[in-house]
Amino acid sequence: MISTFTLFHSFIFFLYLLISTPSRASLFSGIETGDLEKKGDLFPQILRDEAVARLHELGKVSDASEYLERTFLSPATTRAIDLIRKWMEDAGLRTWVDEMGNVHGRVEGANANTEALLIGSHMDTVIDAGKFDGALGIVSAISALKVMHVNGNLQNLRRPVEVIAFCDEEGVRFQTTFLGSGAIAGILSATTLEIPDKKNVTIKDVLKENSIEATEESLLKLKYDPKSVWGYVELHIEQGPVLEQVGFPLGVVKGIAGQTRLKVTVKGSQGHAGTVPMSMRQDPMVAAAEQIVLMENLCKHPEEYLSYGGHCSDSSTKSLSSSLVCTVGEISTWPSASNVIPGQVTYTVDIRAIDDLGREAVIYDLSNRIYQICDKRSVSCLIEHKHDAGAVICDSELSSQLKSAAYSALKRMEDDIQDEVPILMSGAGHDAMAMSRLTKVAMLFVRCRGGISHSPQEDVLDNDIWAAGLATLSFLENL
Ligand code: GLV
Ligand code: MN
Ligand code: MN
């Protein structure tokens, strides 16, 4: 359950963010779906009914029977690849799967030699995920192109359009994210293939299990020539409560917060829970507990912690206070038994902020304090950086095109729409971050229920899915 406080906190966070829309009742509140359907050119069968059915179908493609989980090239991901590929073909697209496991569907349009628009999102999920995170961007893009296909308009597209379903954005299995978009943007390091999961299976091993013999060279070849690409657009659920608060189905993203993932390993002295006196313990569990509470305090009040250390400018400290979020989402102990003082504790730290320098200052300060706690408790600490991505500002021209497309879609659905499409920041990471290293990027957010995401409670109104598809269609028609 998401607490009122959490919602309030994220609301404040996102309002750091430019909200240009006054609060109002749900945009679709006064409209009967039947009235909308009378507007015959809005393609509800494809953009809403089929898109919704597809999202539910993809949401059942899981490696776990009780919940949704699809990680990098897992058996369920292979099934998802087949399904997405089939939908792309149904939309008239030429398809292929690349050597990282990304699915591509492309149409050349009227000017095959012009730079292409890339559009997509990710098909992997977190553990116990919702159905819409990532999937909505893939399904909406395919649905919009399908409308053009059935209307015989695909060949009128002013430039090539390529939908990409990226293989790994969540980074659940290998902690490093953007394996798919990173390969296409050409930002993966030479050692990426050697990264191991918890069972020491490397990315290269997983590719091999899927009959892909990847090498450093084959990885480099996945990089797109920036001259062949016009821009990248991603539609995604907001994963926060702002659009619901302002009663608007769609919003344009101004920028994406930077993020760092750390893995902290604390080693102590394994022993008997009944015999080792409290004063003689070197217990990594309590060291980790102290570090985690310290992290929470630091991230709640960076102005109190960082100003003393002098590692952070005043403006960074101010912007941190409104956007910094830090999370320990995974912790494991060895040997993990109730009557054993653990020998080792490992936990992850996820740190995000709009301000890159501020984020770096937090990491510097937090790391020092973690080492100090380890020294004080006579345990050893190792801090590894698993992922770093700088904050991204979306392209203003591409964003205004998306904004006009969103506005015109909503106007077609409800004649008297008057408000401006909201503009907001993203605290969540997206493939657009990696793609911004290749080309200009822009994003459209779709309202989700209660702002809930990374949870099976994630939900999006059918009509908002329709609005998302219609906005994508309008964007494609006016490229
Ligand atoms: C991806 O959803 C992330 O922001 O971690
Ligand atoms: Mn996610
Ligand atoms: Mn996502």
Side-chain angles (χ1 to χ4, degrees), residues 411-433:
K411 179 104 186 127
R412 284 166 79 185
M413 296 178 86
E414 184 184 25
D415 292 333
D416 69 349
I417 166 182
Q418 277 162 22
D419 294 337
E420 282 251 328
V421 177
I423 296 175
L424 55 167
M425 291 292 294
S426 173
H430 299 289
D431 288 295
M433 297 175 95

Side-chain angles (χ1 to χ4, degrees), residues 6 51 53 58 83 121 193 195 206 210 212 245 277 332 344 358 370 375 430:
T6 310
L58 192 54
L83 196 55
S121 196
L193 290 173
I195 296 175
V206 178
N210 284 274
I212 301 172
Q245 288 275 347
S332 61
Q344 177 171 310
I370 285 176
D375 283 349
H430 299 289

Side-chain angles (χ1 to χ4, degrees), residues 155-458:
Q155 296 321 318
N156 298 335
L157 278 163
R158 278 185 214 113
R159 54 179 72 253
V161 174
E162 186 171 319
V163 183
I164 311 180
F166 292 111
C167 60
D168 170 80
E169 186 274 336
E170 303 288 4
V172 167
R173 183 160 178 191
F174 294 98
Q175 282 303 307
T176 172
T177 72
F178 307 140
L179 288 177
S181 44
I184 284 168
I187 57 168
L188 297 186
S189 83
T191 52
T192 300
L193 290 173
E194 307 308 325
I195 296 175
D197 69 4
K198 283 185 202 139
K199 295 186 181 142
N200 257 344
V201 180
T202 65
I203 292 176
K204 192 176 188 166
D205 296 333
V206 178
L207 288 164
K208 202 167 179 180
E209 280 163 20
N210 284 274
S211 313
I212 301 172
E213 290 292 341
T215 60
E216 209 180 299
E217 294 74 57
S218 65
L219 204 62
L220 287 178
K221 282 200 195 122
L222 291 179
K223 177 180 169 23
Y224 277 32
D225 177 357
K227 290 200 215 78
S228 70
V229 179
W230 177 68
Y232 171 74
V233 164
E234 180 165 356
L235 179 140
H236 201 283
I237 54 165
E238 180 201 341
Q239 306 182 280
V242 174
L243 290 173
E244 197 172 70
Q245 288 275 347
V246 298
F248 222 82
L250 303 174
V252 173
V253 178
K254 186 175 173 57
I256 309 171
Q259 56 171 278
T260 297
R261 292 186 188 184
L262 306 174
K263 178 178 165 194
V264 183
T265 304
V266 189
K267 284 189 180 159
S269 183
Q270 194 170 318
H272 196 295
T275 59
V276 185
M278 294 306 283
S279 60
M280 293 174 68
R281 296 183 179 203
Q282 291 163 278
D283 185 342
M285 182 70 95
V286 283
E290 191 177 341
Q291 289 160 354
I292 293 167
V293 173
L294 174 271
M295 178 206 74
E296 188 197 31
N297 285 333
L298 192 162
C299 295
K300 269 185 174 165
H301 308 289
E303 68 291 349
E304 283 173 26
Y305 283 77
L306 299 183
S307 51
Y308 299 124
H311 309 301
C312 197
S313 71
D314 278 358
S315 65
S316 285
T317 310
K318 270 197 201 102
S319 102
L320 271 179
S321 303
S322 56
S323 76
L324 178 66
V325 280
C326 308
T327 307
V328 172
E330 193 182 338
I331 185 162
S332 61
T333 73
W334 180 262
S336 208
S338 66
N339 59 348
V340 182
I341 303 162
Q344 177 171 310
V345 173
T346 305
Y347 64 93
T348 58
V349 185
D350 178 310
I351 301 178
R352 305 181 189 213
I354 303 297
D355 181 277
D356 285 339
L357 289 177
R359 178 171 46 90
E360 279 159 25
V362 169
I363 292 162
Y364 180 84
D365 200 280
L366 178 64
S367 303
N368 281 341
R369 290 170 193 266
I370 285 176
Y371 284 123
Q372 280 164 12
I373 290 172
C374 283
D375 283 349
K376 186 182 77 182
R377 291 185 169 274
S378 302
V379 293
S380 74
C381 278
L382 174 70
I383 303 175
E384 295 168 85
H385 280 239
K386 291 293 184 180
H387 172 66
D388 263 309
V392 166
I393 300 297
C394 293
D395 180 77
S396 57
E397 223 171 287
L398 206 48
S399 298
S400 12
Q401 280 172 265
L402 269 185
K403 193 173 174 190
S404 308
Y407 190 81
S408 89
L410 296 172
K411 179 104 186 127
R412 284 166 79 185
M413 296 178 86
E414 184 184 25
D415 292 333
D416 69 349
I417 166 182
Q418 277 162 22
D419 294 337
E420 282 251 328
V421 177
I423 296 175
L424 55 167
M425 291 292 294
S426 173
H430 299 289
D431 288 295
M433 297 175 95
M435 295 301 279
S436 72
R437 306 279 292 276
L438 175 77
T439 185
K440 59 187 180 185
V441 302
M443 289 192 72
L444 196 63
F445 269 171
V446 183
R447 166 170 68 183
C448 60
R449 195 188 59 186
I452 299 168
S453 183
H454 284 187
S455 155
Q457 304 300 320
E458 198 174 271

